[in-house]
Amino acid sequence: MYRVILSRLLPFVLGAFAGVGAFYLLTPFNVPAPPTTVPAWSVGSGSSSFCKNRKFERLLDTSDFRSDKAEIPLRIISKPQAVYTDLARENGVEGSVRLKVTLRANGEVGEISVLRGLPDGLTEQAIAAARKIDFEPKKVNGVPTSRTVTIDYTFSIY
């Protein structure tokens, strides 16, 4: 009985001790801290082409990024909802109004043309809502530019 237990348990115990012993024998105790003058991403063996080519350093370097050189896209801050007219509600009119809206460089809404309209005053309500759009114009090299966008206003009876 004891022979069976020892024959199965002894290799396990010896293997565990050998593994723990090897861990302590092969682990260095005095590991120096990396120098503080060198960036943390460049510390290492240097065998990686990623570190040698300094690609990562260039990715982190933001000195070349300036907002006046970048292209900043148009950002619509708020798009007010169009009001459903009583006449359209009585007549059960549903659908969407599609408008072509020019958003000017000075931050104002410019020309509005109707691409697809609806009856009973819904098109006029959509145009009135589009005139109240608040946005930041697109900037190219720091200069605001005008942009024409297509905007849909959907009307549905709940």
Side-chain angles (χ1 to χ4, degrees):
M1 175 81 176
Y2 291 113
R3 283 186 180 177
V4 174
I5 293 174
L6 285 177
S7 66
R8 293 188 181 178
L9 186 62
L10 189 62
F12 175 75
V13 171
L14 290 177
F17 280 123
V20 170
F23 174 77
Y24 281 111
L25 286 175
L26 299 176
T27 304
F29 288 104
N30 297 328
V31 179
T36 57
T37 58
V38 180
W41 61 84
S42 66
V43 174
S45 64
S47 63
S48 169
S49 63
F50 190 76
C51 291
K52 283 183 182 176
N53 294 334
R54 301 239 185 245
K55 291 178 186 177
F56 188 66
E57 187 174 347
R58 276 185 264 142
L59 287 174
L60 291 179
D61 185 21
T62 58
S63 62
D64 289 338
F65 179 76
R66 293 182 194 91
S67 61
D68 58 306
K69 286 187 175 183
E71 183 174 309
I72 300 172
L74 168 74
R75 186 170 76 99
I76 295 180
I77 297 168
S78 69
K79 177 188 163 197
Q81 266 191 317
V83 178
Y84 215 116
T85 62
D86 292 332
L87 182 60
R89 195 177 305 276
E90 288 173 11
N91 293 335
V93 178
E94 291 185 335
S96 63
V97 175
R98 177 165 285 177
L99 303 174
K100 187 175 168 182
V101 181
T102 301
L103 303 174
R104 294 185 181 159
N106 61 1
E108 296 177 358
V109 177
E111 182 181 326
I112 298 176
S113 59
V114 179
L115 299 177
R116 182 177 62 226
L118 288 174
D120 298 331
L122 293 180
T123 301
E124 290 78 14
Q125 289 296 323
I127 291 171
R131 292 229 176 266
K132 298 176 185 173
I133 291 175
D134 189 22
F135 67 97
E136 289 180 5
K138 176 182 177 179
K139 292 182 182 177
V140 178
N141 295 328
V143 178
T145 58
S146 297
R147 183 129 188 240
T148 302
V149 296
T150 303
I151 297 178
D152 290 332
Y153 283 96
T154 303
F155 297 93
S156 62
I157 299 173
Y158 298 115

